[in-house]
Amino acid sequence: MIPGGGQPNMQQLLQQAQKMQQELSKAQEELANTEIAGHAGGGLVTATVTGAGELRGLKIDPKAVDPEDTETLADLIVAAVQAANENAQTLQQQKLGPLAQGLGGGGIPGLPF
């Protein structure tokens, strides 16, 4: 209900929706171009992902490489990628959360909020 009993201005609502859509698209593009790191093993393994969760890089300190224990190295890699993705999700929520709420608060399909 609009205060004063008036009808909503459809043109104004459409303009607001279009502006929010543009802001959302811009934020999504920024996320896709932002790289976020995650670390494991005290920095022995570093994974880099985009804000959209795409794995872009993996750095492994030679100290982490033990030919007799590849299982530990694999665990460190998985942990670093998970940490990077968690950091990316936090960034997504910071950048896109307010926009999603402005679009009705129902979240955005395909995003974790």
Side-chain angles (χ1 to χ4, degrees), residues 6-23:
Q7 292 296 316
N9 180 333
M10 289 305 289
Q11 182 67 24
Q12 187 178 24
L13 288 175
L14 289 172
Q15 287 174 348
Q16 287 176 342
Q18 185 178 21
K19 181 181 178 196
M20 291 174 72
Q21 180 63 39
Q22 289 170 348
E23 290 174 4

Side-chain angles (χ1 to χ4, degrees), residues 11-91:
Q11 182 67 24
Q12 187 178 24
L13 288 175
L14 289 172
Q15 287 174 348
Q16 287 176 342
Q18 185 178 21
K19 181 181 178 196
M20 291 174 72
Q21 180 63 39
Q22 289 170 348
E23 290 174 4
L24 180 61
S25 294
K26 181 181 176 189
Q28 287 173 324
E29 185 178 328
E30 287 175 11
L31 282 170
N33 293 321
T34 301
E35 292 189 350
I36 300 107
H39 309 282
L44 290 175
V45 177
T46 300
T48 304
V49 299
T50 66
E54 177 186 341
L55 182 63
R56 285 283 176 93
L58 189 61
K59 290 184 183 178
I60 302 171
D61 187 306
K63 295 177 208 159
V65 181
D66 178 358
E68 301 296 318
D69 184 14
T70 57
E71 191 172 304
T72 297
L73 178 58
D75 289 343
L76 289 173
I77 292 169
V78 169
V81 171
Q82 287 175 338
N85 278 321
E86 287 172 9
N87 293 340
Q89 286 183 350
T90 298
L91 183 62

